[in-house]
Coordinates of all heavy atoms in Angstrom, one line a residue:
M1 N -4.9 -21.4 4.6 CA -4.9 -21.4 6.1 C -5.6 -20.2 6.6 O -5.6 -19.1 6.1 CB -3.4 -21.3 6.6 CG -3.3 -21.2 8.1 SD -1.5 -21.1 8.6 CE -1.7 -20.9 10.3
K2 N -6.3 -20.3 7.7 CA -7.1 -19.2 8.3 C -6.6 -18.9 9.7 O -6.1 -19.8 10.4 CB -8.6 -19.5 8.4 CG -9.2 -19.7 7.0 CD -10.7 -19.9 7.1 CE -11.4 -20.1 5.8 NZ -12.8 -20.3 5.8
T3 N -6.7 -17.6 10.1 CA -6.2 -17.2 11.3 C -7.3 -16.5 12.1 O -7.7 -15.4 11.6 CB -4.9 -16.3 11.2 OG1 -4.0 -17.0 10.4 CG2 -4.4 -15.8 12.5
D4 N -7.7 -17.0 13.2 CA -8.8 -16.3 14.0 C -10.0 -16.0 13.1 O -10.5 -15.0 13.1 CB -8.2 -15.0 14.6 CG -9.1 -14.5 15.7 OD1 -9.9 -15.3 16.2 OD2 -9.0 -13.3 16.0
R5 N -10.4 -17.0 12.3 CA -11.5 -17.0 11.5 C -11.4 -16.0 10.3 O -12.4 -15.7 9.6 CB -12.8 -16.8 12.3 CG -13.1 -17.8 13.3 CD -14.4 -17.6 14.0 NE -14.5 -16.3 14.6 CZ -14.1 -16.0 15.8 NH1 -13.5 -16.9 16.5 NH2 -14.3 -14.8 16.3
T6 N -10.3 -15.4 10.1 CA -10.1 -14.5 9.0 C -9.4 -15.1 7.9 O -8.3 -15.7 8.1 CB -9.3 -13.3 9.5 OG1 -10.0 -12.6 10.6 CG2 -9.2 -12.2 8.4
P7 N -9.9 -15.1 6.7 CA -9.2 -15.8 5.6 C -7.8 -15.2 5.4 O -7.6 -14.0 5.3 CB -10.1 -15.5 4.4 CG -11.5 -15.2 5.0 CD -11.2 -14.5 6.3
G8 N -6.8 -16.1 5.2 CA -5.5 -15.7 5.0 C -5.3 -14.9 3.7 O -4.5 -14.0 3.7
L9 N -6.1 -15.2 2.7 CA -6.0 -14.5 1.4 C -6.4 -13.1 1.6 O -5.8 -12.2 1.1 CB -6.9 -15.2 0.4 CG -7.0 -14.5 -1.0 CD1 -5.6 -14.5 -1.6 CD2 -8.0 -15.2 -1.9
L10 N -7.4 -12.8 2.4 CA -7.9 -11.4 2.6 C -6.8 -10.6 3.3 O -6.5 -9.5 3.0 CB -9.2 -11.4 3.5 CG -9.8 -10.0 3.7 CD1 -10.1 -9.3 2.5 CD2 -11.0 -10.2 4.6
I11 N -6.2 -11.3 4.3 CA -5.1 -10.6 5.0 C -4.0 -10.2 4.0 O -3.5 -9.1 4.0 CB -4.5 -11.5 6.2 CG1 -5.5 -11.6 7.3 CG2 -3.2 -10.9 6.7 CD1 -5.1 -12.5 8.4
S12 N -3.6 -11.1 3.2 CA -2.5 -10.9 2.2 C -2.9 -9.7 1.3 O -2.1 -8.8 1.0 CB -2.2 -12.1 1.4 OG -1.7 -13.2 2.2
V13 N -4.1 -9.7 0.8 CA -4.5 -8.7 -0.2 C -4.6 -7.3 0.5 O -4.1 -6.4 -0.1 CB -5.9 -9.1 -0.7 CG1 -6.5 -7.9 -1.5 CG2 -5.8 -10.3 -1.6
V14 N -5.1 -7.2 1.7 CA -5.2 -5.9 2.3 C -3.9 -5.4 2.7 O -3.6 -4.2 2.4 CB -6.2 -6.0 3.6 CG1 -6.2 -4.7 4.3 CG2 -7.6 -6.4 3.1
Y15 N -3.0 -6.2 3.3 CA -1.7 -5.7 3.7 C -0.8 -5.4 2.5 O -0.1 -4.4 2.5 CB -1.0 -6.8 4.6 CG -1.4 -6.6 6.0 CD1 -2.5 -7.2 6.6 CD2 -0.6 -5.9 6.9 CE1 -2.8 -7.1 7.9 CE2 -0.9 -5.8 8.2 CZ -2.0 -6.4 8.7 OH -2.3 -6.2 10.1
T16 N -0.9 -6.2 1.5 CA -0.1 -5.9 0.3 C -0.6 -4.6 -0.4 O 0.2 -3.8 -0.8 CB -0.2 -7.1 -0.7 OG1 0.3 -8.3 -0.1 CG2 0.6 -6.8 -2.0
S17 N -1.9 -4.5 -0.4 CA -2.5 -3.3 -1.0 C -2.1 -2.0 -0.3 O -1.8 -1.0 -0.9 CB -4.0 -3.3 -1.1 OG -4.5 -4.5 -1.8
A18 N -2.1 -2.1 1.1 CA -1.7 -0.9 1.9 C -0.3 -0.5 1.6 O 0.0 0.7 1.4 CB -1.9 -1.2 3.3
I19 N 0.6 -1.5 1.6 CA 2.0 -1.2 1.4 C 2.3 -0.7 0.0 O 3.0 0.2 -0.3 CB 2.9 -2.4 1.8 CG1 2.8 -2.6 3.3 CG2 4.3 -2.3 1.3 CD1 3.5 -3.9 3.8
F20 N 1.6 -1.4 -1.0 CA 1.8 -1.0 -2.4 C 1.3 0.4 -2.6 O 2.0 1.2 -3.3 CB 1.0 -2.0 -3.3 CG 1.0 -1.7 -4.7 CD1 2.0 -2.1 -5.5 CD2 0.0 -0.9 -5.3 CE1 2.1 -1.9 -6.9 CE2 0.0 -0.6 -6.7 CZ 1.1 -1.1 -7.5
L21 N 0.1 0.7 -2.1 CA -0.5 2.1 -2.3 C 0.4 3.2 -1.6 O 0.5 4.3 -2.2 CB -1.9 2.1 -1.8 CG -2.7 3.4 -2.0 CD1 -2.7 3.7 -3.5 CD2 -4.1 3.2 -1.5
S22 N 0.9 2.9 -0.4 CA 1.7 3.9 0.2 C 3.0 4.2 -0.6 O 3.4 5.3 -0.7 CB 2.1 3.4 1.6 OG 3.0 2.3 1.6
A23 N 3.5 3.1 -1.2 CA 4.7 3.4 -2.0 C 4.4 4.2 -3.3 O 5.1 5.0 -3.7 CB 5.3 2.0 -2.4
V24 N 3.2 3.9 -3.9 CA 2.8 4.6 -5.1 C 2.7 6.1 -4.7 O 3.1 7.0 -5.5 CB 1.5 4.1 -5.6 CG1 0.9 5.0 -6.6 CG2 1.6 2.7 -6.2
L25 N 2.0 6.4 -3.6 CA 1.9 7.8 -3.2 C 3.2 8.5 -2.9 O 3.4 9.6 -3.3 CB 0.9 7.8 -2.0 CG -0.5 7.4 -2.3 CD1 -1.3 7.3 -1.0 CD2 -1.2 8.5 -3.2
I26 N 4.1 7.8 -2.2 CA 5.4 8.4 -1.9 C 6.1 8.7 -3.2 O 6.6 9.8 -3.3 CB 6.2 7.4 -1.0 CG1 5.6 7.3 0.4 CG2 7.7 7.9 -0.9 CD1 6.2 6.2 1.2
F27 N 6.2 7.7 -4.1 CA 7.1 7.9 -5.2 C 6.4 8.7 -6.4 O 7.0 9.1 -7.3 CB 7.6 6.6 -5.7 CG 8.6 6.0 -4.8 CD1 8.3 5.1 -3.9 CD2 9.9 6.5 -4.9 CE1 9.2 4.5 -3.0 CE2 10.9 6.0 -4.0 CZ 10.5 5.0 -3.1
W28 N 5.1 8.9 -6.2 CA 4.4 9.9 -7.1 C 4.8 11.3 -6.6 O 5.1 12.2 -7.4 CB 2.9 9.7 -7.0 CG 2.1 10.6 -7.8 CD1 2.5 11.7 -8.6 CD2 0.6 10.6 -7.9 NE1 1.4 12.3 -9.1 CE2 0.2 11.6 -8.7 CE3 -0.3 9.7 -7.3 CZ2 -1.1 11.9 -9.0 CZ3 -1.7 10.0 -7.6 CH2 -2.0 11.0 -8.5
L29 N 4.8 11.5 -5.3 CA 5.0 12.8 -4.8 C 6.5 13.2 -4.9 O 6.9 14.4 -5.1 CB 4.6 12.9 -3.3 CG 4.6 14.3 -2.7 CD1 3.5 15.1 -3.3 CD2 4.4 14.2 -1.2
E30 N 7.4 12.2 -4.9 CA 8.9 12.5 -4.9 C 9.3 13.4 -6.1 O 10.0 14.4 -5.9 CB 9.7 11.2 -4.9 CG 9.7 10.6 -3.5 CD 10.9 9.7 -3.3 OE1 11.8 9.7 -4.1 OE2 11.0 9.0 -2.2
P31 N 8.9 13.1 -7.3 CA 9.3 14.0 -8.4 C 8.3 15.2 -8.6 O 8.7 16.2 -9.1 CB 9.2 13.1 -9.7 CG 8.2 12.0 -9.3 CD 8.3 11.8 -7.9
M32 N 7.1 15.1 -8.0 CA 6.1 16.2 -8.2 C 6.5 17.4 -7.5 O 6.5 18.5 -8.0 CB 4.8 15.7 -7.8 CG 3.7 16.7 -8.0 SD 2.0 16.0 -7.7 CE 2.0 15.9 -5.9
L33 N 6.9 17.3 -6.2 CA 7.3 18.5 -5.4 C 8.5 19.2 -5.9 O 8.6 20.4 -6.1 CB 7.4 18.2 -4.0 CG 6.1 18.2 -3.1 CD1 6.3 17.9 -1.7 CD2 5.4 19.6 -3.3
P34 N 9.6 18.4 -6.1 CA 10.8 19.1 -6.7 C 10.6 19.8 -8.0 O 11.2 20.8 -8.3 CB 11.9 18.0 -6.8 CG 11.4 17.0 -5.8 CD 9.9 17.0 -5.8
K35 N 9.7 19.2 -8.8 CA 9.4 19.8 -10.1 C 8.8 21.2 -9.9 O 9.1 22.2 -10.6 CB 8.5 19.0 -10.9 CG 8.0 19.6 -12.3 CD 7.1 18.6 -13.0 CE 6.5 19.3 -14.2 NZ 7.5 19.6 -15.3
A36 N 8.0 21.3 -8.9 CA 7.4 22.6 -8.5 C 8.4 23.6 -8.0 O 8.3 24.8 -8.1 CB 6.2 22.4 -7.5
I37 N 9.4 23.0 -7.3 CA 10.5 23.9 -6.7 C 11.5 24.4 -7.7 O 12.1 25.5 -7.5 CB 11.2 23.1 -5.6 CG1 10.2 22.8 -4.4 CG2 12.4 23.8 -5.0 CD1 10.8 22.0 -3.3

């Protein structure tokens, strides 16, 4: 299915990547900073 001429697959990939990457960065930093403290 396409929305406003934008492929639905591209929307899924970009949004999933953004959310996935934000979580990776958050939970990478979570043990890193306390280890330094």
Side-chain angles (χ1 to χ4, degrees):
M1 176 179 178
K2 295 184 179 181
T3 301
D4 195 17
R5 300 186 302 275
T6 301
L9 178 61
L10 181 59
I11 292 177
S12 294
V13 170
V14 173
Y15 273 85
T16 302
S17 298
I19 291 176
F20 178 86
L21 185 56
S22 70
V24 168
L25 291 170
I26 289 171
F27 288 98
W28 177 0
L29 193 66
E30 282 204 10
M32 183 171 74
L33 273 183
K35 178 180 172 67
I37 292 174

